[in-house]
Amino acid sequence: MTKHFLNRREDIVTEALDGLLMTSAPGELARLDSYPEIKVVLRADWKKDRVAVISGGGAGHEPSHAGFVGRGMLTAAVSGEIFASPSVDAVLTAIRAVTGAPGCLLVVKNYTGDRLNFGLAAEKARAEGFKVEMVIVADDIALPELAQPRGVAGTLFIHKIAGHLAETGETLAAVAEAARAAAADTVSLGMSLSSCSIPGQAHEERLGAAECELGLGIHGEPGVERIAMRASVSLVETMASRLAATIDDAGDYALLINNLGAVPPLEMGLVARDVLRSPLGRRARLVLGPAPLMTALNMNGFSLSLIRLDAVREAALRAAVGPRAWPVPVEPRPITIQPAPRVDTVDAVTAGSDETAATLIRTVCEHLISLETELNRLDSRAGDGDTGSTVATGARSVLAQLPTLPLADPAAALGIMGATLATSMGGSSGVLLSIFLTATAQRLAGGASLADAFRSGLERVTFYGGARRGDRTMVDALEPALDALAADGVAAAAAAARAGADATRGMTRARAGRAAYVGESNLDGVPDPGAEAVASVFEAVAAMK
Amino acid sequence: MTKHFLNRREDIVTEALDGLLMTSAPGELARLDSYPEIKVVLRADWKKDRVAVISGGGAGHEPSHAGFVGRGMLTAAVSGEIFASPSVDAVLTAIRAVTGAPGCLLVVKNYTGDRLNFGLAAEKARAEGFKVEMVIVADDIALPELAQPRGVAGTLFIHKIAGHLAETGETLAAVAEAARAAAADTVSLGMSLSSCSIPGQAHEERLGAAECELGLGIHGEPGVERIAMRASVSLVETMASRLAATIDDAGDYALLINNLGAVPPLEMGLVARDVLRSPLGRRARLVLGPAPLMTALNMNGFSLSLIRLDAVREAALRAAVGPRAWPVPVEPRPITIQPAPRVDTVDAVTAGSDETAATLIRTVCEHLISLETELNRLDSRAGDGDTGSTVATGARSVLAQLPTLPLADPAAALGIMGATLATSMGGSSGVLLSIFLTATAQRLAGGASLADAFRSGLERVTFYGGARRGDRTMVDALEPALDALAADGVAAAAAAARAGADATRGMTRARAGRAAYVGESNLDGVPDPGAEAVASVFEAVAAMK
């Protein structure tokens, strides 16, 4: 995936930061007027009366870092260009902008560029008289023997803990000590199905269709291992066992599930389930996410981070904060499962017989079966040529059920036929007929005449189905037929249905149903098969003795 | 992008729903025990004492719909399989599970399958005695002439408004009427750079590298128009003008910016900026997002939705709710821009002269320049062979500055040299030397001896740079030299530096700096160029008369 939403390549980062600022709550965020060289987002309400917590780094990790500026987390975020450390001047400017007498803590991910640029800025700020401390986060466990592990999504824990302690008025020494201890107790590991692409640059995917990567950073660099694509539960198992090897056997942990950028929410939900069911997940006392927290542009992967909890850290992680990108931690627990209400089977109805009704139903069904070939032929002009077969299938299922229908209770009988047709016919037409009969039955049970009940049923069909007269559907025959039935009886109904069906020959533009997608010329002069079936059935009923 | 995190294809939806349930707050959500056929997520705290609001549809739109179940929004969500409507039985089961005497409202997106299945379920529920109303959302304006527009992300507005009114105890009739009126006042339009791929199915991208699609739905169906890839601001302009043509010229609107699944947060920020700066954005009194709200699996696109506001709708949209996926609406306003603290230029220092210091600096610099070729040669074994040139460049810049340095104030002079080297040398080594001199100057100004101040500077270099003795860097020479300087003077320092540099010949595994990436055999017997430079300089200084 190499396509991106962008304007000028050199404006991507400032425009994205402006988008954040424009969609943040009033009074929460501001930026300095030093675009484009110096990109600093800071709390608009900051009074320099407490320890400032500053973080940052390259862009491409949104919502990190500017998305976490706000009450209880970061005081300011300094952004470089995509995957490039901010300059010394940019960091120094941020320090000057937000640091008061209580001093500031810099939270830096362990990449050389960030360490040095934040480091020199810290030294310069000290020379200017500011109190500055720095904590370096190196949580990535991908290469256990590496002396300088990378800083990745576990950094969020440090932002939250330091931010909370600073917000509550702790001293710089106390905030820095807590942050360093927290960083030392944090581990992370990433997994991805594809590498990320940088907006405005050509991209070549280094992973094959059956490969994924374990232990990657957040700058598009290759992972530690290329492994075969496997089921999510197996990928998670590999990550969980490596992470588990780095943490204590006892004690509580918080677990952060981070979307690296482009995993769709459906899959992040599935991954979260697999993670929480793994042995590692069962160690988690608090879970954060799944959510995009420290992304790597559009990387199709996720990372897991853990921090060992104590009372202070747990309280800090749970404390409410301003930034909306921070996920509320929850205590994982078994899913609450409630019994589904039982679908009552129809009570054994007093199955009265009614020979007139039985003859009527038999006539209608047999007539519909006789139309199978002709309706299929008509349907083949606009659809897949199965209207006749679908209708015949429904008719046969009703015929088969006829001996057991409670015909002395027409409402009950219609309701049962409706349920049967929904299943036997399938598809839209089965459901529409079922709606027709179910709604008709309900009105009938409420005391309406059969003709009025049928009209209510049709009203429901047009509401749910969306077809109206003139749309070239069975409604074009059924609606005039039922109106005539209520007023003048079955012969008039048959005539009205026939006129309605014939009128569909002139409707060369279907507006509902599948025929809506067919060009006009194919339909010229051909009646709609549904309307034709309705008319033909009414004629057959009118002809009954 | 056709790779997905999944286990068995047939379990994707239930596993993703379980992931949501496992990461939701305790007591918020439950599901029915009718997996896998019937997938219903509902409020765990629901007492059936108010109007229930039920929505749902195919899966693949997460966090819709289950992610919006909770206080103030949906009472229950019914999920089908990916992009497939839930069955009539599933909807009917949800209705039965949450509907009490006040009744329930079904919120249905305008797709035939959803209309019919929710519709038949509604009719069956009515036959069972439940009070049921249904609102159909048809907000997509992609095809203005279409009689049956699709329901897309604007449906979120209806969920929120109906959910709020139900939560506050309104009657079913009132909730349904408000929902229908809201649906009639809602419009949406989508844009994507690539189509979505269904987990477990082969995918062929229908869009070329220079194409994007306007007016697509949320089920992977093609958009209305394929247009040439353009700048974000231009794509947004096209969408904004089409949406603007469908809304009133006056009145307030809420605007929802929806990530269709796989747009990285960086780009969603940029898109949000472009939208809010468009004429349409300036009409928005409230903005929601950008956020994934109604996704289409991993579609790399976004949609914009608008609803006309009145006092009731605005209050409903602003009301706090349980579901964390709901974005807090904000009033867009100009970005708050604060002046960046000015980087003070160094005040004109009383430029005292100090001939001894000048001679010392000149000797060191000229000696470093003389080492250029040799240091480059040493560096070529492990790096890109430019250590000598980089060092010589720095030395030349200091020499050029020497006449104006305030040498009578050593701390000030060292600070200025540090600032010069960060710029002139560039790269990590320039920043490290700058850190060294800046930190040294600060300690010197604080009253420390030169040797002690240098040792403090080195401590900062090792902290920020991460290199320790034994890592095959200049620290291997500088640290013993400075220790000896403090104790025994410059001759001892030179001897210690030489011993330290020679020791790097045996360090065949670099652990810091670029040489960390080089195999052992290349380094055997070669001293580190940085350590060699330090030793050679101390020898030159010791040899001074």
Side-chain angles (χ1 to χ4, degrees), chain A residues 145-148, chain B residues 382-383 467-468 470-473 476 504 506-524 528-529:
Chain A
E145 75 279 13
L146 197 68
Q148 294 290 345
Chain B
R468 279 173 291 225
D471 285 352
R472 192 185 158 87
T473 70
D476 288 308
T504 65
M507 297 174 191
T508 55
R509 188 84 189 109
R511 280 204 291 265
R514 196 194 309 260
Y517 306 113
V518 175
E520 301 195 5
S521 58
N522 279 330
L523 300 176
D524 195 18
D528 174 72

Side-chain angles (χ1 to χ4, degrees), chain B residues 138-144 150 152-154 157 185-191 214-216 225 235-250 253-258 271 274-276 278-281 283-284 302-308:
Chain B
D139 53 321
D140 182 33
I141 63 149
L143 283 166
R150 297 171 288 206
V152 290
F157 288 134
D185 280 349
T186 298
V187 291
S188 295
L189 189 61
M191 167 77 74
L214 177 67
L216 27 77
E225 276 176 61
L235 296 175
V236 164
E237 157 65 27
T238 299
M239 296 171 75
S241 66
R242 299 218 183 172
L243 283 163
T246 68
I247 66 172
D248 297 336
D249 289 338
Y253 282 83
L255 168 66
L256 184 149
I257 306 173
N258 173 49
V271 162
D274 290 341
V275 170
L276 291 181
S278 75
L280 188 76
R283 292 289 307 277
F302 66 94
S303 65
L304 304 177
S305 301
L306 289 156
I307 185 171
R308 194 185 163 108

Side-chain angles (χ1 to χ4, degrees), chain A residues 22-46:
Chain A
M22 294 165 88
T23 54
S24 64
E28 271 186 356
L29 298 183
R31 69 165 171 88
L32 298 182
D33 64 355
S34 43
Y35 272 2
E37 292 82 6
I38 292 178
K39 296 176 278 290
V40 174
V41 170
L42 67 165
R43 283 178 63 170
D45 62 344
W46 184 242

Side-chain angles (χ1 to χ4, degrees), chain A residues 70-280:
Chain A
R71 184 178 49 80
M73 282 191 79
L74 301 181
T75 316
V78 197
S79 180
E81 292 299 315
I82 291 177
F83 293 170
S85 182
S87 69
V88 175
D89 271 356
V91 180
L92 182 56
T93 301
I95 295 171
R96 287 168 168 158
V98 297
T99 307
C104 80
L105 176 70
L106 306 181
V107 182
V108 178
K109 294 188 298 306
N110 195 20
Y111 292 91
T112 304
D114 285 340
R115 286 176 71 135
L116 297 184
N117 290 356
F118 278 80
L120 179 51
E123 291 306 315
K124 290 188 166 200
R126 282 181 185 145
E128 294 180 13
F130 291 104
K131 285 168 61 182
V132 183
E133 292 289 332
M134 180 163 139
V135 55
I136 296 167
V137 185
D139 53 321
D140 182 33
I141 64 150
L143 283 167
E145 75 279 13
L146 197 68
Q148 294 290 345
R150 297 171 288 207
V152 289
T155 308
L156 270 297
F157 288 134
I158 319 308
H159 291 165
K160 185 65 168 71
I161 291 168
H164 175 71
L165 295 176
E167 190 73 36
T168 55
E170 295 284 347
T171 65
L172 178 58
V175 175
E177 185 186 336
R180 285 190 192 106
D185 281 349
T186 299
V187 291
S188 294
L189 189 61
M191 167 78 73
S192 187
L193 305 185
S194 56
S195 55
C196 59
S197 64
I198 297 177
Q201 287 186 14
H203 174 65
E204 199 163 321
E205 178 56 58
R206 65 173 175 265
L207 293 176
E211 289 180 324
C212 48
E213 242 174 8
L214 178 67
L216 26 78
I218 52 175
H219 299 101
E221 66 270 38
V224 167
E225 276 176 60
R226 206 171 285 192
I227 62 180
M229 187 72 192
R230 304 197 302 261
S232 165
V233 73
S234 168
L235 296 175
V236 164
E237 157 65 28
T238 298
M239 296 171 76
S241 67
R242 301 217 182 172
L243 283 162
T246 68
I247 66 172
D248 296 337
D249 289 337
D252 289 329
Y253 282 83
L255 168 65
L256 184 150
I257 306 174
N258 173 49
N259 184 344
L260 279 165
V263 182
L266 174 79
E267 294 172 47
M268 284 308 301
L270 185 150
V271 163
R273 174 248 186 209
D274 290 342
V275 170
L276 290 180
R277 286 166 57 102
S278 75
L280 188 77

Side-chain angles (χ1 to χ4, degrees), chain A residues 464-485:
Chain A
Y464 296 123
R468 279 174 290 227
R469 283 187 74 173
D471 285 352
R472 192 185 157 86
T473 70
M474 70 168 179
V475 174
D476 287 308
L478 192 53
E479 190 172 293
L482 294 180
D483 289 347
L485 184 68

Side-chain angles (χ1 to χ4, degrees), chain B residues 261-339:
Chain B
V263 182
L266 174 78
E267 293 172 48
M268 283 309 300
L270 185 149
V271 162
R273 174 249 185 210
D274 290 341
V275 170
L276 291 181
R277 285 165 57 102
S278 75
L280 188 76
R282 291 196 289 272
R283 292 289 307 277
R285 180 172 155 67
L286 287 182
V287 175
L288 297 95
L293 299 163
M294 179 81 73
T295 60
L297 295 173
N298 60 357
M299 189 174 286
N300 186 19
F302 66 94
S303 65
L304 304 177
S305 301
L306 289 156
I307 185 171
R308 194 185 163 108
L309 289 177
D310 57 24
V312 171
R313 289 177 192 166
E314 181 168 343
L317 292 177
R318 283 177 179 271
V321 286
R324 283 172 288 148
W326 176 254
V328 178
V330 301
E331 292 177 36
R333 57 171 59 194
I335 294 170
T336 305
I337 301 179
Q338 298 183 357

